[in-house]
Amino acid sequence: MRRRPLRALIAAAAWALAGAAAAADGGGGGGAPRAEWVGTYRWEGKSDRFGGFSGLELDETGAAFLAVTDRGAIVQGRLTRDGRGAVSAVAAAPPVRLLSRHGKPYPPHLADSEGLALLPGGGFAVSFETWDRISSYAGFGRVPLREDWIAVQVHFRANTGAEALAALPDGSLLFLPERPGEGEGDFPLLRLAGDTVTQVGRLRHDPGWSAVGADFGPDGRFYLLERDYWPLVGFRSRLRRITLAGEADSGFAVTEDIVLMETRAGRHDNLEGLAAWRDASGAVRLTMISDDNFSPFQRTELVDYRVAE
């Protein structure tokens, strides 16, 4: 009997898995999606620091942006959008490396930046995984005003630390680990205020899904981007809209948790960064950016969804 080449076997397995996953491309649970795809733009850059985007923030118009890579670099730029509101072009400055409080570039083991949040009144914060810490910057500076080593207060599993980051109106920061700790079950919702980390709630964790991006929308709700990976096929993405009740100092309770969309494997690349904004019609838009892991087999995508309800 003639043997099929290994490449053909892998391709056949990938197509079979993609077919099985196709039913998940929608709003989850077989219902109509609550977030509609608007467009996908493939962004290409020439700098050797381009790629690996893990965090994204936009201004209130969805045009000016700040992005962070998982090698400790930031990029500023501006998006052009078409009539539907999808990204059609990107103009950006070259990536620049974030520096330590001593004004020096981070060594590779300290440069795994993941989450990004704009701070009230200006500036931004970046969460770093592995050696878990959150650094805060004034304006678009490269040297942090402060560096809070959250690893001394909260212990995460290896390579699953502070990933999704969002700013509260009072300037404190909410963050989630990529995955819950051993035996935890659900995600701990953590808050950094000053130099103190406290747990202020829990968010549901479903098997297979990792928390990779977060933002508070213009409607005051908490938007969470999650990722799953199917070998040979690609990444799945899921967006959740979560309504939190309570106060930051006393803790939050979840009053509503809706899956807005859930894609099949391979629909998008490795979406990690999330920014929520409101368009001219009043609809909430969710713009995401993918981490290509600096791999020629992946791509940097800017993906737009519009919340339908």
Side-chain angles (χ1 to χ4, degrees), residues 169-231:
D170 65 1
S172 62
L173 294 159
L174 285 187
F175 64 98
L176 281 78
E178 186 175 343
R179 293 185 181 179
E182 294 287 349
E184 277 194 296
D186 290 331
F187 290 112
L189 183 61
L190 302 164
R191 178 188 181 223
L192 173 66
D195 59 0
T196 302
V197 175
T198 55
Q199 183 172 320
V200 291
R202 284 194 174 275
L203 301 182
R204 187 185 80 249
H205 174 251
D206 295 328
W209 292 101
S210 300
V212 292
D215 198 13
F216 279 99
D219 55 1
R221 292 169 167 138
F222 185 74
Y223 289 86
L224 179 65
L225 172 63
E226 296 176 296
R227 174 191 62 206
D228 186 19
Y229 177 65
W230 287 40

Side-chain angles (χ1 to χ4, degrees), residues 15 18 21 27 29-30 40 43-44 82 85 90 95 117 121 159 203 215-216 240 254-255 265 272 275 300 302 308:
W15 278 110
T40 298
W43 182 21
E44 297 179 337
D82 62 20
V90 180
N159 201 36
L203 301 182
D215 198 13
F216 279 99
R240 289 162 60 186
V254 175
T255 59
E272 285 202 7
T300 298
L302 285 155

Side-chain angles (χ1 to χ4, degrees), residues 214-269:
D215 198 13
F216 279 99
D219 55 1
R221 292 169 167 138
F222 185 74
Y223 289 86
L224 179 65
L225 172 63
E226 296 176 296
R227 174 191 62 206
D228 186 19
Y229 177 65
W230 287 40
L232 306 179
V233 183
F235 297 93
R236 297 175 64 201
S237 298
R238 186 167 80 167
L239 282 167
R240 289 162 60 186
R241 184 180 66 196
I242 300 168
T243 303
L244 299 172
E247 300 291 337
D249 290 334
S250 56
F252 295 105
V254 175
T255 59
E256 186 178 57
D257 187 341
I258 295 175
V259 175
L260 295 175
M261 74 83 172
E262 183 178 311
T263 71
R264 60 174 170 80
R267 175 69 175 85
H268 302 302
D269 208 286

Side-chain angles (χ1 to χ4, degrees), residues 31-42:
R34 292 184 171 94
E36 302 168 342
W37 174 76
V38 178
T40 298
Y41 178 83
R42 183 168 181 174

Side-chain angles (χ1 to χ4, degrees), residues 43 65-67 74-78 91-96 140-141:
W43 182 21
F65 76 89
L66 182 69
I74 56 170
V75 178
Q76 296 181 63
R78 192 167 187 86
V96 295
F140 293 108

Side-chain angles (χ1 to χ4, degrees), residues 28-88:
R34 292 184 171 94
E36 302 168 342
W37 174 76
V38 178
T40 298
Y41 178 83
R42 183 168 181 174
W43 182 21
E44 297 179 337
K46 297 180 179 179
S47 168
D48 58 0
R49 293 181 187 154
F50 179 87
F53 291 103
S54 55
L56 176 70
E57 284 287 354
L58 299 175
D59 70 358
E60 61 184 14
T61 70
F65 76 89
L66 182 69
V68 66
T69 81
D70 58 13
R71 290 186 180 174
I74 56 170
V75 178
Q76 296 181 63
R78 192 167 187 86
L79 306 177
T80 299
R81 296 180 178 274
D82 62 20
R84 298 170 301 150
V87 175
S88 57

Side-chain angles (χ1 to χ4, degrees), residues 274-285:
L274 171 67
W277 54 287
R278 195 184 298 278
D279 66 18
S281 73
V284 174
R285 298 283 186 124

